[in-house]
Amino acid sequence: MSHDTPGSTATAAATSQQGDALENLLHENRKFAPSEDFAANAVVGAEAYAEAEADRPAFWAKQARELLTWNKDFTQALDWSNPPFAKWFVGGEVNAAYNALDRHVENGLGDRVAIYFEGEPGDTRSYTYAELTEEVKKAANAFESLGVAKGDRVAVYLPMIPEAVITLLACARIGAVHSVVFGGFSSDALRSRIEDAQAKLVVTADGTYRRGKPSALKSAVDEALANDGHTVQNVVVVKRNGQDVDWHAGRDHWWADTVEAASAEHTAVGHDSEHPLFILYTSGTTGKPKGILHTTGGFLTQTAYTHKAVFDLHPETDVYWCTADVGWVTGHSYVAYAPLINGATQVMYEGTPDSPHQGRWWEIVQKYKVSILYTAPTAIRTFMKWGRDIPDKYDLSSIRVLGSVGEPINPEAWMWYRDVIGGSGGKKNPAPIVDTWWQTETGAQMIAPLPGVTATKPGSAQVPLPGIAVDVVDENGVSVPNGHGGFLVIREPWPAMLRGIWGDPERFKETYWSRFEAMYFAGDGAKKDEDGDIWLLGRVDDVMNISGHRLSTTEIESALVSHPAVAEAAVVGAADETTGQAVVAFVILRGDAVDSGDEIVQDLRNHVGKEIGPIAKPKTILVVPELPKTRSGKIMRRLLKDVAEGRDVGDATTLADNTVMAQIAASLKK
Ligand code: PRX
């Protein structure tokens, strides 16, 4: 099957997709300058831009030395002699876990709370830096005793519980490479990721809680490992909800028997700055998810710097809460690593925002006096729908910075976030909003305001961070003037950049570095407004963004056509008020398959859930007689998107059969 390729038509589609609202939004003239107080106490001021501009690698070298403790200092900030393969902080040796933990204890901060954990059923735990250090040392010893050595891969399939952070840091401590698979992915998805990374150990839990009900995890691991041919030798299982699990003696070990029983003495040695830290799979434009590879020194430096600068972190007084799951990159960079590197106190919550009631998040903010909240627009839009009287019942006065990530935030949601959450209780100066653009591939935030410097604008992520060279270019790679749109690119290497795709250097070059000469192509459309501020317009490729989660249209299409009743399938991301985009699938059934209406639709949804995971289940599946194709056989998703979003179908003159759209319309009316 072939598809529309990214290009000018795709940009046009991405642009038209958001229609008139976009036009209005690009003429946004509301601006909110930082209050005097905020600006006066900000950790990073305007001088950072000029400093970075003067000498980018030197700027990052300074951050690397200030923010991290190196076992061995580096001799060169950046080696870019073999693009697109960068080396940052060449010759340096550093240990991520030592930097996140031990050194804080050595510096007298052992009693500071590192994690306040709130389980969905209401159980709570907290870990001081001293306690967390001890747990990580035990886990490091336990993993080593199970044969895990430096460079080995460890697959992690855990809920949002402290053991997830402990596992990641224990891997980093011993130089093992973690590969987290989001708990919402199916056993099939887990299997393919375990196999691609050739993991030696899997760390999982019996299950977790979802909306008050226990949900299983271990059973998916069992299914993923059911056939021979994998490299997994051991499975460590955290007992989270006590549900029954199948047990494979010799392979399976309870966390309590291995980690808890291990010695709490463990010395962290330095690893090369370019030593692999983790792999995280993400959806691309072709069927198979890509294992994005991140290495140590650069990743730690940029995540720690941005966490401090963008959230204006004052670690002695702030309580930080990032609501992202550890299964996504945000849960890596801004839960497991940066906050701990910076010695912050953070909240970690296991469950959903509506369990057991729709005020749960605000109750948590009030209870822990959260001062920095980092979440996704989809959550904000959900809270808007539930109504302001819910957050209004809580004392949210502790909040002083609000972050947004994962998808464009529409100005309406931005204003609501500022007024209702940031201005709660009639605050004179509502908390500033930092809209942060970045990707699994970039490893850390790239475009965002600095809250003590930038006058923020509803809906725009605005400016590249100090030391980051972002641009918007036309299809020839020429920088567009203000007031124009095009493709988002990154012109210079950055410390947290991906170092490649696991096991596939060619795909790395092809995917990100071939569209434009000597530039990284992010896959996003963007526009510069009259002030030169950047507005993100969504993906221009076949990647969808559902509730801030990345899913590939082709991956879901492959899942659909693997069902015996389906002859052909086309998937589009249609605009959705709450989730940003929703998956809409058009399927042609095989000649011998019966269109049983709701039944087949339900069956296909479940099939996608099994192949990829519940998060990928299409919201709508439409059975159609034909799909719109060009004369060369490419499916014209743009037209399907028009249908899915309820618009009149746009220009269909390039269709091989111009009656197709009428046939689809007629079949949908039925
Ligand atoms: O399209 C952009 C969107 O999310 C994509 C990256 O997804 P992922 O790798 O899953 O990482 C998400 C969390 C960092 C981008 O290509 N995106 C992310 N942040 C924003 C955004 N779109 C608009 N505004 C943002 N702040």
Side-chain angles (χ1 to χ4, degrees), residues 4-18 285 439 473 485-488 515-516 521-527 536-545 553 581 637 641:
D4 272 351
T5 44
S8 54
T9 50
T11 319
T15 313
S16 82
Q17 167 198 133
Q18 304 177 30
T285 51
Q439 310 178 294
V473 299
F487 303 94
L488 189 76
R515 178 69 178 80
F516 300 106
F521 173 43
D524 279 35
K527 207 152 185 165
L536 281 314
L537 306 181
R539 303 286 304 195
V540 295
D541 54 13
D542 295 334
V543 171
M544 293 173 291
N545 193 324
T553 52
Q581 287 190 310
R637 297 244 197 73
K641 208 169 178 132

Side-chain angles (χ1 to χ4, degrees), residues 334-352:
Y334 297 103
V335 177
Y337 288 102
L340 299 171
I341 298 284
N342 287 336
T345 295
Q346 70 175 321
V347 172
M348 186 175 190
Y349 172 54
E350 179 185 27
T352 54

Side-chain angles (χ1 to χ4, degrees), residues 437-477:
W437 178 90
W438 57 294
Q439 310 178 294
T440 306
E441 291 88 340
T442 69
Q445 297 163 350
M446 302 292 280
I447 308 176
L450 289 180
V453 179
T454 321
T456 54
K457 223 182 236 184
S460 168
Q462 298 188 290
V463 276
L465 284 164
I468 299 299
V470 165
D471 200 0
V472 181
V473 299
D474 66 17
E475 44 193 76
N476 300 315

Side-chain angles (χ1 to χ4, degrees), residues 110-125:
D111 292 338
R112 182 181 288 174
V113 172
I115 298 178
Y116 286 118
F117 169 69
E118 184 86 15
E120 198 193 81
D123 56 320
T124 59
R125 275 187 264 168

